[in-house]
Amino acid sequence: AGKPIKVNLKALLAKGPVVLYFYPKAFTQGCTLEAHAFAEATPEFAAAGATVIGMSNDDLPTLQKFSTAECRDKFTVAAATKDVIKSYDVALKVAGLPVGLTKRTSYVISKSGKIVMVHSDMDYRDHMKLTLEVVQKLKQG
């Protein structure tokens, strides 16, 4: 809802699986449509016990606006620091050089902390669907 909060992955995992999805740039067409898809599927993710977090390296004021306008206050949007980008290997590169954006990559992290799914594709269309399928399967056991 555009309010700054601290995000603690370990605390979130204690509640259930986490979908961590990186997107290149707030307010671009693909990122906006992807955010809408995750926002609309919030009830399904909640029913599977999953938390969704969208991440990019946009500045905080941009993320606050994006959280409200495009994510519709349905899930947390977090700032991807350089360390987070490096840890999740999501730096977007052109000709081998980072361009200051993240790749469009979605992770599903199980309650135990294990990454059980990675989907990296600049086409936004399958990210929500594939991550939802995985968290639903996790709930089923």
Side-chain angles (χ1 to χ4, degrees):
K3 298 176 189 122
I5 60 169
K6 295 266 184 195
V7 176
N8 183 305
L9 182 58
K10 188 174 183 177
L12 292 173
L13 288 171
K15 300 174 188 176
V18 172
V19 173
L20 181 60
Y21 85 91
F22 291 87
Y23 58 93
K25 186 95 177 123
F27 296 107
T28 57
Q29 182 179 4
C31 296
T32 296
L33 292 170
E34 182 178 29
H36 291 177
F38 274 104
E40 289 169 15
T42 298
E44 289 88 352
F45 281 102
T51 301
V52 174
I53 302 171
M55 295 190 81
S56 78
N57 67 342
D58 288 300
D59 61 41
L60 188 58
T62 300
L63 291 172
Q64 288 174 296
K65 290 176 191 170
F66 192 68
S67 171
T68 299
E70 306 304 347
C71 303
R72 301 173 178 154
D73 299 334
K74 299 288 186 179
F75 58 89
T76 300
V77 178
T81 64
K82 288 181 182 181
D83 287 343
V84 168
I85 291 168
K86 183 178 179 182
S87 294
Y88 285 92
D89 191 25
V90 292
L92 183 62
K93 297 177 182 177
V94 175
L97 300 172
V99 294
L101 302 173
T102 61
K103 294 186 273 185
R104 187 178 314 281
T105 304
S106 297
Y107 290 89
V108 176
I109 307 169
S110 72
K111 190 174 180 175
S112 70
K114 181 180 179 184
I115 295 172
V116 295
M117 186 272 247
V118 179
H119 178 68
S120 190
D121 187 338
M122 290 304 281
D123 186 335
Y124 70 91
R125 289 177 279 197
D126 286 336
H127 286 263
M128 183 283 296
K129 178 182 74 119
L130 293 173
T131 57
L132 181 58
E133 288 172 359
V134 171
V135 297
Q136 289 172 331
K137 286 179 185 174
L138 286 173
K139 179 160 175 91
Q140 294 170 358

